Amino acid sequence: MKPVHTPHLTDLPADPDVVVVGAGSAGIAAARALLAAGLSVAVLEARDRIGGRAVTTAFRGHPVDLGAHWLHAGPINPLVKLGLARGEKLRHAPTGGHTFVRGRQAPPAARAALDRAFDLADRAMTLGAQRPEDRSAQSVLTPIGPHAQRVIAIHGLVSGRPLDEVSLHDFPSSEYAHNWFITGGLGAYLARLAEGLPIRLGTAVDGIDWSGPGVRVSTASGTLQARAVLVTAPMAVLQAGAIRFSPGLPPGLQEAVQAFTQGVYEHVILHWPGSPFRGPDRLTQLSGTRLEPPGLLTNIDGAPFHFLELDLERARALDGRDPHAPARFARAVMAGQFGYRAIRDLQVLAATAWRNDPWSRASWAVIPPGKAPAREALKTPAGERVWFAGEALSREQWGTAGGAWEEGTRAAGEMVARLRKIPGTPLDL
Ligand SMILES: Cc1cc2nc3c(=O)[nH]c(=O)nc-3n(C[C@H](O)[C@H](O)[C@H](O)COP(=O)(O)OP(=O)(O)OC[C@H]3O[C@@H](n4cnc5c(N)ncnc54)[C@H](O)[C@@H]3O)c2cc1C
């Protein structure tokens, strides 16, 4: 998989103030902010590319996102604000979508009924979250009527876990309205934002020693000494023990890291010029057949590419099977809905498996019932020199590239303020 844009990277300083672990959205944001404040920075990235869970690759010459694609929550998403300021080609995501029932477009009233069910669900979850005791987000949804199962399935898809495993206290904090798309892909946009940064690729951090006054960050190719470190590796990667902390993290931080479960959401990428879907960038519901995918984004960027979205259950069902299983599943879904004649020119180009990638192990980090304080707990650094950032820490934009950017910027600001207090800091104030 070759990204469509590969930024020019610069060499690492020999003696950095800060080491940033990971060059995804959070790491790129942090590196930019730390450099802008006059600190010297070294970013170490395990993969041989930047972007983490946001990467754009080309299929048939067209850029397609394998990870993050939507710019969610426009009014509060820093990547939208920055993109508009840079003159990037942003466009509003359409609000209306299609609903097909056994191959036929459902009347607008059917779509409106589902929209009403979503409104009721939002209200029920917002009210439920105000109660002091936490429960599952699903526990308040059964009374919302005949569309409850559909709403639960779709919210489960965008949460990354079945809703009965998602904290009610955490859920309404996420903000998904007023979405945008960016021409050329979100991964390519992040790669442009990494232009000129001091990032070394193919360099996995395996240990962080903070027993001394600063930190020693070890990799298979050597150790870097710095005054502080910012860890942006995904929670699932930290839970798997990829980085050894010496001494171990304080109990509050350890508990917070362990609190998350793995959100699973994958794309099966379709090329289907003869599809019945009309209009660019439309969310499309398929129902009335045995195989009902929880989500589908059609005619991405106005081109004949479509994402069949997989939730945890469907993605897991494909694990351990042959490599063609996602393609067979996608074809069976579309044939069940539109018939075999209609899918003659349907090609399945790829299926993502972020859940099995050792540097992500999940699509994002999810908070189960009772663990909602974990996002906030991760914001207290260990010994004022081991900071954390990434999508998992964002209260309002968790699970998103915008949330990761927000958190990388926050952590960088706190690090600058902290390091400036230490006498002898070579900072350009
Ligand atoms: C299929 C899919 C679709 C998605 N869709 C959307 C969407 O439409 N919109 C949206 O906003 N978000 C979406 N997301 C979520 C979004 O991609 C993430 O929330 C965001 O990119 C996370 O950024 P991050 O910087 O926190 O982590 P990452 O992007 O994972 O960056 C962390 C970096 O750390 C590196 N790393 C890990 N361990 C080490 C180590 N030991 N040493 C050195 N480096 C290490 C990793 O390689 C990675 O580059 C999607 C995710 C997936 C998987």
Side-chain angles (χ1 to χ4, degrees):
M1 181 270 304
K2 194 171 169 298
V4 290
H5 183 76
T6 304
H8 166 72
L9 305 176
T10 53
D11 290 340
L12 304 189
D15 202 9
D17 292 311
V18 177
V19 171
V20 176
V21 181
S25 182
I28 295 168
R32 287 168 57 112
L34 292 164
L35 288 167
L39 289 171
S40 62
V41 180
V43 185
L44 302 176
E45 168 53 52
R47 292 185 173 106
D48 58 5
R49 61 165 182 81
I50 61 106
R53 286 167 277 177
V55 58
T56 309
T57 189
F59 289 103
R60 302 174 178 208
H62 193 89
V64 177
D65 282 313
L66 298 179
H69 178 64
W70 274 262
L71 286 160
H72 292 295
I76 58 168
N77 187 331
L79 287 169
V80 169
K81 192 172 173 198
L82 182 60
L84 293 172
R86 285 166 53 95
E88 298 279 353
K89 288 186 186 155
L90 295 175
R91 62 185 188 280
H92 287 284
T95 45
H98 300 306
T99 302
F100 284 87
V101 182
R102 285 185 294 280
R104 287 180 189 281
Q105 282 257 33
R111 180 85 213 174
L114 187 60
D115 288 347
R116 271 198 306 279
F118 271 107
D119 287 345
L120 282 174
D122 284 351
R123 236 171 293 156
M125 287 195 284
T126 307
L127 275 176
Q130 286 163 9
R131 296 196 205 128
E133 78 289 355
D134 196 10
R135 295 187 285 161
S136 82
Q138 184 168 323
S139 63
V140 292
L141 289 190
T142 25
I144 67 167
H147 291 289
Q149 285 317 314
R150 194 79 191 150
V151 170
I152 288 168
I154 294 169
H155 271 317
L157 171 75
V158 297
S159 299
R161 301 292 298 188
L163 267 202
D164 61 354
E165 298 178 19
V166 179
S167 155
L168 180 58
H169 276 181
D170 194 54
F171 192 87
S173 67
S174 65
E175 173 60 77
Y176 278 106
H178 308 292
N179 299 323
W180 297 72
F181 292 116
I182 181 161
T183 300
L186 179 44
Y189 171 36
L190 276 180
R192 289 195 291 281
L193 293 171
E195 201 63 51
L197 293 181
I199 300 175
R200 185 175 295 159
L201 301 176
T203 310
V205 169
D206 53 27
I208 295 177
D209 180 341
W210 56 288
S211 56
V215 292
R216 290 169 58 79
V217 180
S218 59
T219 73
S221 51
T223 299
L224 266 181
Q225 206 146 346
R227 299 167 65 205
V229 63
L230 173 61
V231 180
T232 74
M235 287 302 126
V237 173
L238 295 177
Q239 288 174 358
I243 302 176
R244 202 182 49 261
F245 293 89
S246 327
L249 291 173
L253 273 172
Q254 266 183 48
E255 266 170 43
V257 168
Q258 298 302 331
F260 294 87
T261 51
Q262 281 76 49
V264 172
Y265 164 87
E266 305 283 1
H267 290 161
V268 181
I269 298 156
L270 315 179
H271 184 259
W272 191 8
S275 84
F277 311 129
R278 298 288 165 260
D281 303 312
R282 298 300 161 96
L283 279 168
T284 298
Q285 296 291 319
L286 304 180
S287 65
T289 52
R290 189 176 59 85
L291 296 175
E292 290 189 359
L296 189 67
L297 180 68
T298 56
N299 291 328
I300 297 163
D301 218 358
F305 295 91
H306 319 275
F307 289 150
L308 180 69
E309 300 168 307
L310 300 180
D311 59 6
L312 173 80
E313 187 193 341
R314 284 158 185 91
R316 279 217 180 129
L318 300 173
D319 277 340
R321 293 171 56 190
D322 67 276
H324 304 294
R328 274 201 310 275
F329 172 72
R331 295 181 70 80
V333 167
M334 296 307 172
Q337 188 72 210
F338 302 105
Y340 280 95
R341 277 174 67 86
I343 65 162
R344 274 177 307 189
D345 66 338
L346 164 66
Q347 285 204 307
V348 180
L349 303 177
T352 63
W354 295 92
R355 64 197 180 280
N356 300 326
D357 179 326
W359 302 119
S360 51
R361 293 181 178 270
S363 298
W364 50 76
V366 177
I367 290 281
K371 307 282 186 183
R375 298 194 194 278
E376 215 50 41
L378 281 168
K379 294 180 187 173
T380 305
E384 300 201 330
R385 53 196 182 282
V386 183
W387 262 266
F388 291 87
E391 54 83 13
L393 283 77
S394 174
R395 183 86 182 103
E396 290 183 308
Q397 301 178 72
W398 56 263
T400 71
W405 188 275
E406 172 197 48
E407 281 304 313
T409 310
R410 174 203 53 84
E414 290 178 10
M415 294 177 95
V416 170
R418 169 69 200 148
L419 294 177
R420 275 182 177 162
K421 282 193 196 144
I422 299 172
T425 301
L427 284 178
D428 180 9
L429 299 176

